[in-house]
Amino acid sequence: MDTTPFERHESQVRGYCRAYPTVFASASNAHQVDEDGKRYIDFFAGAGVLNFGHNDPAMKEAIIAFLQADGVAHSLDTHTTAKRDFIERFHEVVLAPRGMDHRMQFMGPTGSNAVEAALKLARRTTGRREVVAFTHGFHGMTLGSLAATANDAFRQWAGVPLENVVRLPFETAPGGAEALEAYRAALQDPSSGLRPPAAFLVETVQAEGGVNVASAEWLVRVQEVAHEVGALLVVDDIQAGIGRTGSYFSFDGMGLDPDIIVLAKGLGGFGTPIAMTLNRPEVDDHWAPGAHTGTFRGQGISFTAGRVALDHFTDDRLMSAVRAKGEVMASRLSELARTLGDERWEVRGRGMMQALDTGDGDLAREVQREAFERGLLIGPCGPEGRVLKLIPPLTIEDEVLAEGLDLLEQALAAAGGR
Amino acid sequence: MDTTPFERHESQVRGYCRAYPTVFASASNAHQVDEDGKRYIDFFAGAGVLNFGHNDPAMKEAIIAFLQADGVAHSLDTHTTAKRDFIERFHEVVLAPRGMDHRMQFMGPTGSNAVEAALKLARRTTGRREVVAFTHGFHGMTLGSLAATANDAFRQWAGVPLENVVRLPFETAPGGAEALEAYRAALQDPSSGLRPPAAFLVETVQAEGGVNVASAEWLVRVQEVAHEVGALLVVDDIQAGIGRTGSYFSFDGMGLDPDIIVLAKGLGGFGTPIAMTLNRPEVDDHWAPGAHTGTFRGQGISFTAGRVALDHFTDDRLMSAVRAKGEVMASRLSELARTLGDERWEVRGRGMMQALDTGDGDLAREVQREAFERGLLIGPCGPEGRVLKLIPPLTIEDEVLAEGLDLLEQALAAAGGR
Amino acid sequence: MDTTPFERHESQVRGYCRAYPTVFASASNAHQVDEDGKRYIDFFAGAGVLNFGHNDPAMKEAIIAFLQADGVAHSLDTHTTAKRDFIERFHEVVLAPRGMDHRMQFMGPTGSNAVEAALKLARRTTGRREVVAFTHGFHGMTLGSLAATANDAFRQWAGVPLENVVRLPFETAPGGAEALEAYRAALQDPSSGLRPPAAFLVETVQAEGGVNVASAEWLVRVQEVAHEVGALLVVDDIQAGIGRTGSYFSFDGMGLDPDIIVLAKGLGGFGTPIAMTLNRPEVDDHWAPGAHTGTFRGQGISFTAGRVALDHFTDDRLMSAVRAKGEVMASRLSELARTLGDERWEVRGRGMMQALDTGDGDLAREVQREAFERGLLIGPCGPEGRVLKLIPPLTIEDEVLAEGLDLLEQALAAAGGR
Amino acid sequence: MDTTPFERHESQVRGYCRAYPTVFASASNAHQVDEDGKRYIDFFAGAGVLNFGHNDPAMKEAIIAFLQADGVAHSLDTHTTAKRDFIERFHEVVLAPRGMDHRMQFMGPTGSNAVEAALKLARRTTGRREVVAFTHGFHGMTLGSLAATANDAFRQWAGVPLENVVRLPFETAPGGAEALEAYRAALQDPSSGLRPPAAFLVETVQAEGGVNVASAEWLVRVQEVAHEVGALLVVDDIQAGIGRTGSYFSFDGMGLDPDIIVLAKGLGGFGTPIAMTLNRPEVDDHWAPGAHTGTFRGQGISFTAGRVALDHFTDDRLMSAVRAKGEVMASRLSELARTLGDERWEVRGRGMMQALDTGDGDLAREVQREAFERGLLIGPCGPEGRVLKLIPPLTIEDEVLAEGLDLLEQALAAAGGR
């Protein structure tokens, strides 16, 4: 296994490879295999991208067929048959059943770019500058999305002031519920020193922020306040959406009707890049043609695989499996917290995004290391990286899931859980 | 041909599809074919992405083999064999022969994201906030890169002030040469109200800005001034690099030694998304692990196709062809300007980025329309979109190039050239 | 009475003269006389400047003597005898008895300029950018102080974004107490998206903001939080200080020990301009000579009158009178609220800053108009100008105070109090 | 002479007193006397405030009469007889003879505050954010005016980014003339990355910046460019106006017609604080009542003395004397440069603002010290403080002027002029 070329020629900025010191050669559903033939169970799924596993056979077959037919791999925002197929299928499977008439906007294929587009549109629609974002929120790395991201470890790298964002505590942070009401009250008051915002940008489950789960009640209240003050509700569903929590959108059934929904990660199905916002038509009408462009916004391979991925949402089979496996994960984590943890340990999550907050970043990193050695890939998140977040492919086999949880238990024990 | 799904379900922001009202079904080298079977010669190459044509057979074969072997399509910044192969090959073909020891940094796969990363790194390295960018420069759509982009049609969509950029006239703009010297003089003066910048961000040929070609002398002077004031030289080679001007980097042989080079577009070879900066090691050392992240920064398909694309640079065959075809393009455009144009018409370019500045945006759009009807795809750029930019695949066959130039002549004549 | 020259030649920005449509010719203690000889009782005292009344005989005599001796009227920050006398007397009467070793800084003679200086010093001392200010706070009109001012009617005139201020609700605003604790909690959290502030800038009684009175407990808590997060406590005592609330500083006896205290208005005694900050030595040491300059910072007439004004604070006579008259004012207002008001009417205040919040800006303006006609000058403040603030000279005679309160009752009744 | 109280109790920020280590007790026309009886000739005039000398007898008499009549010393912006007398006299003496119908706006009595008001009004009038200011310009210390000030020694103390100002080289700086034209050209170009500014803020003679004298031609060109791009011309005449250069406004006779003129310093005549803008009516109409307020904006003493000062402008006696004495100063300085200086020495100025640029800050400070010891007060200015600026009272007697110039010669020789 030769990692020298990376050490010699790749930037110091590289990160995950330091926690996973091997060279991966192939991957299949919830397994990755390194070039020495060692197998790993993947509880990280490419940071929540590979909801349908690595190298899903149906998608692979569709991509190969697309390539062999000389499909248009790169199209900017011209019309292609691959794109049309994706758009029609997305409407049929996702939007129409929910009675949604949101319009699909494609942009540079990163979640960060989609957040940037959403904020531009919200600011243009309202003619306002500031956007409300929440503590522990994660929305990306470019200056517009980074301004909305809370984590100081990322923010300090901007090198310039990050402005035009009002920060409120998320529901689960100290003072979260009261702060929303106090902010609302202040906006009624012309001597508050505050101007009404363009949008409230919120995740229903803060994934990178530590798997903080908002209640439906609070989210609805955010929506009410937003609309009361003439602001848009923008839901960043990049990591929690596309089936992760047991329904296509993470907010299905909550009574939310976001003005803009931001999707990326799992949308391409195969790990191929794509990003999309869903814009309510009255909002979308504020765009002029070409107002937000991007070279790689028309990706034929991503459209092709992403279209196949939508087959998972034509019936409830995958989603009910997600809910069931999510319960398995949660109950196993609770048991581990009880048997190996102390009073700080906490289990949180929805669907197949479940987390064990160990309250101790050093411990979590040690667990990650022990797990890696045993053949399990997990990624810590949250404050000081103290939260072990489990986001395996939604398609993981029950026995692989169980095996992974066993490895996690061993790693926890080895790392010095009680 | 059914464009209804686009009109119903896609955002108003869509742009190019309005100029090319058809649905493309397949593509091969310099041709695209719509679903009615009509063929188009592609003088736009996906906005300068498809330097090696659509569906290059060698790349296609490599991608299919990669898929069939269950290669790791999505890897964040973990090590994979596909990524290692790319890195080693890039070093061998591009860096080593030039004696360069720059480090490769991968990020969210858009040029905009790479510019954002470059600016973060420049600001961190120098501890300074402001960046010099030039009139007519184009660097992307996210707030950090948009602040450096000059075009007001894009800037107005930010919805917030775009700060921390000092704007100087590009060499070819009025006062360009003097302004650089006046700025240099002002930086020596503690009562100038100016602080030294973190970087000079420059394109050697401003592609979107209207195919404005900087001289080697001016670029070297920019580098001298940058280093004299303790700033970095950052070359945005996203559109002009990777062979477009007749050499791998657009600045090869000019005596430039940029601190950071920004690449994207053609780097993936096949139109698949990838972006990379090349950071001088002393600069790169300012990064901390994970300081700039991004979900889609590890793209196996792009690494695979991009590695194959590098085969074009192991000898001078493609580059000498580019120079020869570039001359054909330039001389034909000059002839057209002479026979069909007026005194405003001007031909500019380097290698296979050649342009006809008609001085008239309405005319240029009409030419684009007439060309489309005749089966030729071109894209106007520059102020008011008055510049017809020709950027066919570098691999276009001589006879297809000639045929395309004939179609252009017809379109110009039909649109009312003299 | 000829107001034509004002209408012809003075800017549209003029304000108070529209509410008091006459031309004042002379003034003495709590009376002003217009050029038609009509007398007015002054419950406004030049917006809280004339704590010692108009044309105090002792100050007037001292100024005339100073002028006749060719005293140095304008000295920048050179040493003069008049300035030394002021400094020594201020130390002897105010600082020494309180065991304070704060240093006196003089600047351009406006409260706004003093706030600007205080914020510069706080930012330099801490190396931080943001300053916490409170809803309904008023701190001035120049861009630095205006950023801290809450009132949107003033802020909208900046014409540029007002940045670098974090806004928290004042104690008396909805959510006030909780918000301080939530902010404190967030600052402990590296994923809050917040950085620690340079200072907390607070008024103990928000005068322009509507006579909102903070409790000692809350102010002490602000001080604790400030110091806990490494920020300075800056008290803006411009309107509430210098005897107005019954003690020299408005926070005397509260257990506060501000790092910077901002004074202006009443400090010159006679209505002549002066502004001063009191800087704790460890903080003051961060200044370099000449770091904050200003042409009119050395005013001999203001030093002379201001020195005489300090004679009022060598014993408790004036302060005990202030407390007694303040009680008369408060109890009379309460009676008026009970007899003439509705459930929205509220009486608030400390010492001789007492206010009747009518909850109705139109009513308050009508009361002002009726009062003016009857020979009483009052100024509404607070949200929509609905709060009638009474700030007569501290030296007002008991019978004039009573007469003024009678006139107020008549005006309230005439304006349609119940 | 006891300077201990200053050292003990005054802020470290104090500046001029360090260069003039004595305590001044009295002053009369161009002389100051310290408490030990030593006399100093004043070539600094309170930083250009005391155009009519210290303790002018006529003004002193008028102030005493005003005080004895219980005039309204402090009036905010209510009408007073003293203010009316000033306004009428200013109109009669200054505006009417020039056919000007500008409106007078009073604000907090500092030049900085007047600049802040002017910029607010310019931004509101045009609906634009950015203001053009020039290298070496000095406009004040509060954040809005400091953003326009060029000197980095002052700017660094802001502690926050200073934004919304575009910096162009002043006429006399390298590239000055060309830069104005290049900026004008760029504003015509929608891809320049520049938006048109709200105003051009300019001094005709940069006083603090080093006595840089603009030509009438350049100033007229600034006005033309401003109006061509829809921006206002704002002339900061705080130090160069009110007779200093030999006419009331420093730009009289140049063909300029500024939209806003900023005055302060000498306007009050006696060194008492006042500031005023003169707003063209169409511009002034953009103000709403009370949009820019300030406690000390109605100063009876300043109105009274300032009205008397206007008597100097009813005939040409003072102004012709200024021109004559200015020539004496200039020719003596040229002689000193020739006999004592080297090739770097340069004499610059207009009227009675004349300067010797020694090219050496250490030398200039040494000259200041030697002059002080000999009984002459002068203040260095410009880059590194290398420019000796002479701004005696306009009313200085010929023989005192001569005596002061002799002392300057001795100081220069002693400090090591050649």
Side-chain angles (χ1 to χ4, degrees), chain A residues 83-264:
Chain A
K83 184 178 179 180
R84 188 178 57 204
D85 292 348
F86 177 86
I87 286 177
E88 290 189 312
R89 186 65 169 157
F90 191 89
H91 182 258
E92 176 190 359
V93 174
V94 178
L95 299 183
R98 288 168 177 79
M100 292 169 68
D101 60 356
H102 288 65
R103 297 201 193 118
M104 303 174 219
Q105 177 182 355
F106 303 97
M107 62 286 296
T110 68
S112 184
N113 201 308
V115 169
E116 296 256 356
L119 298 187
K120 280 187 187 178
L121 182 55
R123 284 167 168 144
R124 171 61 59 125
T125 301
T126 58
R128 301 173 180 175
R129 277 199 313 128
E130 288 176 323
V131 165
V132 176
F134 293 91
T135 57
H136 292 249
F138 182 92
H139 303 286
M141 286 282 125
T142 50
L143 289 192
S145 63
L146 185 56
T149 294
N151 193 321
D152 190 56
F154 291 126
R155 292 173 68 84
Q156 61 167 296
W157 288 92
V160 297
L162 295 169
E163 314 275 15
N164 304 307
V165 168
V166 173
R167 186 75 50 188
L168 292 185
F170 193 67
E171 184 188 15
T172 56
E178 298 83 356
L180 181 63
E181 300 305 324
Y183 179 67
R184 179 184 161 278
L187 286 178
Q188 319 293 348
D189 176 352
S191 289
S192 68
L194 301 177
R195 319 253 355 215
F200 287 68
L201 173 63
V202 68
E203 299 157 280
T204 65
V205 183
Q206 294 188 315
E208 295 307 302
V211 189
N212 307 309
V213 182
S215 69
E217 293 67 33
W218 183 78
L219 291 164
V220 166
R221 186 63 184 143
V222 170
Q223 177 173 274
E224 284 170 2
V225 172
H227 290 167
E228 184 180 329
V229 303
L232 304 192
L233 177 67
V234 182
V235 173
D236 178 338
D237 225 20
I238 292 175
Q239 188 160 158
I242 310 174
R244 174 57 60 186
T245 64
S247 54
Y248 190 82
F249 295 119
S250 69
F251 53 83
D252 277 337
M254 285 188 177
L256 289 187
D257 188 14
D259 299 289
I260 304 176
I261 302 160
V262 185
L263 297 175

Side-chain angles (χ1 to χ4, degrees), chain A residues 129 135-137 149-153 155-156 161-164 167 169 174-175 178 182 185-186 189-195 383-384, chain C residues 129 135-137 149-153 155-156 161-164 167 169 174-175 178 182 185-186 189-195 383-384:
Chain A
R129 277 199 313 128
T135 57
H136 292 249
T149 294
N151 193 321
D152 190 56
R155 292 173 68 84
Q156 61 167 296
L162 295 169
E163 314 275 15
N164 304 307
R167 186 75 50 188
E178 298 83 356
D189 176 352
S191 289
S192 68
L194 301 177
R195 319 253 355 215
E384 304 101 51
Chain C
R129 278 200 311 128
T135 57
H136 292 251
T149 294
N151 192 321
D152 190 57
R155 293 173 68 85
Q156 62 166 296
L162 295 170
E163 314 276 14
N164 304 307
R167 186 74 51 187
E178 298 83 357
D189 176 352
S191 289
S192 69
L194 301 177
R195 319 253 356 216
E384 304 102 50

Side-chain angles (χ1 to χ4, degrees), chain B residues 237-293:
Chain B
D237 224 20
I238 293 175
Q239 188 159 160
I242 309 173
R244 173 57 60 188
T245 64
S247 54
Y248 190 81
F249 294 119
S250 70
F251 53 83
D252 278 337
M254 286 187 176
L256 289 187
D257 188 13
D259 300 289
I260 305 177
I261 301 160
V262 185
L263 298 174
K265 289 200 187 260
L267 188 66
F270 199 78
T272 43
I274 190 170
M276 178 171 79
T277 57
L278 296 171
N279 308 333
R280 186 191 300 288
E282 314 83 270
V283 169
D284 186 73
D285 281 341
H286 288 88
W287 278 127
H292 184 83
T293 69

Side-chain angles (χ1 to χ4, degrees), chain B residues 337-349:
Chain B
R338 204 171 53 243
T339 55
L340 294 171
D342 59 33
E343 70 289 339
R344 288 180 306 176
W345 288 32
E346 188 179 306
V347 176
R348 298 191 292 266

